[in-house]
Amino acid sequence: MKTYFKLLTLASVCFMPAVLPAGEPLSDDGIISRRSPIQQPYEYINGGSLLGPTVIDSPDPLVNYVWDNPKASDPLQIFITHPQSAVATSGADNVSGLTTINSETCDIDVKGNCVIRFDLGAELPAWIEIDSPDMNGEVELGISEYNVPEIINKTRTPVKYGNTYRLELNSELYEGVRYGFIYVKNFKSPFTITSVRAVSQVKPTNYTGSFDCDNPLINKIWYVGAWTVKANLREDCFGAILLERGDRFSWTGDAWPAQAASLVAFSNYDAVLKNLHWTDSHPNNIESYELYWVESLIDYYMHSGDTEGFKSLIPMAEKRLSHAWSIFDSPSNLEFFGWGERTGRGFDNPNINENKLAYKMLAIGAWKHFAKALRTIGENDKADTYDKWAKAKTTLFTKMPGNIENMGMHSSADAINADLLADLQDLYHPDFTDRLQRLSYSPFNEYMVINAMAKAGHYDDAFAAILDEWGGQIEYGATCFLEVYRPCWNDIVGKNGPIPYTQTTYTSLAHPWGSGVTAWLTREMLGIKPTSPGFKTFEVKPHFEGVATRVSGQVNTPYGPIKASFNMKTGLDTLTVPAGTKAMLAIPKEDMKIDRIELNGKAIGTMSEDEDFVYIDNLAEGTHCIRAYYSGECRQLPDEEFKYVITDIRTDHETQGEWFKKYGKDGYLIVGGGPEKQDLVKLPDYVESVTFDFGKETIDQHRSTIITPIDPKAMIPVSDEPGARKAFGCYFSGGVQMCPADIKVKQNSPYTVAVYVADCDKGGRELMIDLFDIETGHIIAPSTHVSDLNGGVYFVFTYDRSVRILCNNLRGDNAVINAIYFDKGPVSSGISNPETEKADDRMFTLSGISVDKDSLADGIYISDGRKFIVR
């Protein structure tokens, strides 16, 4: 598996100032002068001008457009862009002139049935239009976030307005779109397409913050996060570019990371305050999100210094914090911690212990943080109450045996963020140091994880996680951040290919709640964060960990902009402190020695320092020039690999329904294989149970028997003669688009599982299958893409513990599991490895269990990613 770290350390680009300097506006041609021939529901972009150069690392088409005085009450505006490129995916001989599609006026000739795919170059909140003076026949338009058509209803006959044809998917028109499709069907006579465009809606929002370093991927992460938030801003609140999803607008607490990114990138305080009021009255009945809302209120107050706004929302915060106190000892129905189980099944398993531990840590942290904020406005009595609550529950929690030892990664992160113990290292979960396990399925939850890593001083783990979780998304091709993500998908689906579907039919590829990393990079890499409300006092404490050698940027405050730059190669740093504020500046060492420091041309004598920084306190207003004289070598981020317990996974397209030839000698579960179409079940003595967990929905809601006896995919029950095929069925996914099977074993010894999946109704299914250890929740194998299901496919692996199998829907209506077969030890694939056959030891370790080779059947065994051949 390739790694990012070494390449990123060496990467560099020429410096492009990200701060938009004042100056003469550029000519108003291009993007801000384009118009559609038809009437639109919003005004065109106005009230500002283009200032300065574009930012090459930003996907925002208007990154350098500056509005004169943008406000939260402003209506949406629109702008027009044209595709960057196009290709005929079908009927290429029937279309010409596609190279002109990026022009305002193009010349595309259509001479027969075809499908044209065009790429807008970035995810946009837009609708698409085409102009044609002579279009005829049957033509449809479609959009997708992927490079293939969307499987849900995003293709329709366009609405005709004179010579313009507009795709109208909803009353607001706009939808998340990266690729557009023109389908020419039932062609009658040649016609010409004279323009193709995206009409994008945008909330007037200026970049008051900036970020730039000599690692282009880190720069892209910052700006993609900012654009993800900006692209999703609605007229009335923070929102999402989603059509058929329940969260097109912001719910209580879910906007915490998005608001954090917005505060550092845009300092749009009025919009954040408006969203806090909006989300206060739009609860989603998720207990943890109620506390995230309180944390987002504190974020707002610390950035804005808006005492009155903070006071106006104190009663709402107190209500939530009191509720947390009332249920602290026995919290229940803690939905959406399921993302932390890395399964993406957020509404399932609401009462597991990890959820309860995490909720308690969130409550303790929220009480502490709110108390600290209250003290800044003189509300000491209220603050005392919350501090007492936090102290009482901390004492109770830490005295209870097993609480800390039983924490998972996410509850440990919440405990660190709550300062549960004086020594945060005692809370640092082993998963934080594992490149694979430290990644949550949800970038939303990973924001809390990287915050905890930084708080505990493990910036190496945090940067590594950022490069994998968010850098991997950019490598995938994202220009907005995704709702869920696994790095291994990049090698499976390719650039901008379809990823698994999760909740409510489809996965968002423009999810602003995943943009917290933008705030993290400003606060932890650039190092600027407030220490009192409104940045009256603040610290600047940058971290590099070898991912870059310089960083610069800006954060706006009520007192004016804070500007900082650091260069580890030259030792030249600058810091601008606004009038009326004071700063604590930390000069980073990064494993080097600082021989001396000059401040504004004068050597500094006695300085406080620790292993990582030299500190300069109480810097007053003005621009300060710092020169640090370094010696030694700069710190480097370690090069790591993803480590999977299971690496030998096979797919079998040949056996089809005749499973008995290869599989199931020890046992099986064939859905609908019994005489009355009940499941035909014979479990081996080493398997305790096989269950299908669909959360709140019953198993009968996800069971179907539809295969006919003559279908070659139909299973042959063991009681019948070969050839006498019987009908069988499947368990299928529902709202969360995942079909889960849990296999619990009685003892830890190797066994082989063959999961049979078939495209029963020829629905064009493709699946992504993941494996998890039930006890630890760890992902134990890379995702596996299973396609060409028409003849049925066996997904075969060997493990030695209880396992959860998740069949995720990638294409088609849903994911399915038709049967599961068991065999003792591994089923031989016919593959031998001479290197592994050289081992003479009769004992080896298989996933932590000492095993005598003489006791094992012939075959291939996997131990910690290594193959062992036993003959």
Side-chain angles (χ1 to χ4, degrees), residues 535-575:
F535 291 87
K536 178 71 173 178
T537 62
F538 61 94
E539 70 174 29
V540 184
K541 194 175 183 180
H543 295 84
F544 291 92
E545 295 298 328
V547 301
T549 62
R550 65 164 178 81
V551 66
S552 62
Q554 173 176 304
V555 174
N556 198 42
T557 80
Y559 298 92
I562 300 170
K563 301 178 182 180
S565 66
F566 300 89
N567 192 315
M568 299 300 298
K569 288 184 177 180
T570 65
L572 297 175
D573 310 325
T574 63
L575 174 64

Side-chain angles (χ1 to χ4, degrees), residues 19 63 68 91 103 154 167 242 279 289 295 310 330 355 362 386 391 481 563 590 613 640 711 736 738 752 764 851 869:
V19 178
V63 66
D68 294 336
S103 302
K154 294 189 180 181
L167 178 61
L242 303 168
T279 51
Y289 283 38
E295 295 286 6
F310 176 57
S330 300
N355 294 10
L362 283 174
Y386 295 117
K391 184 177 180 180
F481 285 131
K563 301 178 182 180
E590 297 288 320
F613 293 93
E640 301 176 82
D711 195 307
V736 291
M738 297 179 181
T752 289
V851 181
I869 309 300

Side-chain angles (χ1 to χ4, degrees), residues 287 290-291 293-294 313-331 359 362-364 366-368 370-371 374 382-383 385-387 389-390 393:
E287 295 284 9
E290 297 290 311
L291 299 177
W293 183 90
V294 176
L313 289 166
I314 285 177
M316 294 76 160
E318 290 182 311
K319 180 180 178 180
R320 291 178 165 89
L321 296 175
S322 295
H323 173 71
W325 171 262
S326 70
I327 69 170
F328 184 93
D329 294 329
S330 300
Y359 180 78
L362 283 174
I364 290 173
W367 292 330
K368 286 183 177 180
F370 193 64
L374 286 174
K382 288 183 178 181
T385 297
Y386 295 117
D387 277 334
W389 287 4
K393 294 305 183 183

Side-chain angles (χ1 to χ4, degrees), residues 497-512:
I499 64 172
Y501 286 75
T502 52
Q503 62 162 352
T504 320
T505 308
Y506 69 99
T507 300
S508 167
L509 268 63
H511 216 63

Side-chain angles (χ1 to χ4, degrees), residues 420-433:
L420 184 73
L421 300 178
D423 189 351
L424 297 181
Q425 305 312 310
D426 292 340
L427 299 169
Y428 206 72
H429 196 276
D431 283 358
F432 290 136
T433 63

Side-chain angles (χ1 to χ4, degrees), residues 715-738:
M715 295 290 136
I716 303 174
V718 293
S719 59
D720 288 359
E721 294 294 327
R725 299 179 184 272
K726 297 294 183 181
F728 80 116
C730 66
Y731 288 106
F732 59 91
S733 61
V736 291
Q737 294 301 308
M738 297 179 181

Side-chain angles (χ1 to χ4, degrees), residues 748-795:
N748 294 337
S749 59
Y751 64 101
T752 289
V753 178
V755 181
Y756 187 68
V757 291
D759 197 2
C760 305
D761 52 1
K762 299 181 180 179
R765 285 177 177 81
E766 295 183 34
L767 307 178
M768 193 84 82
I769 300 182
D770 290 310
L771 300 176
F772 301 85
D773 185 288
I774 286 181
E775 182 177 348
T776 64
H778 284 176
I779 188 167
I780 54 177
S783 300
T784 300
H785 180 206
V786 181
S787 58
D788 299 325
L789 273 64
N790 285 340
V793 182
Y794 294 85
F795 170 86

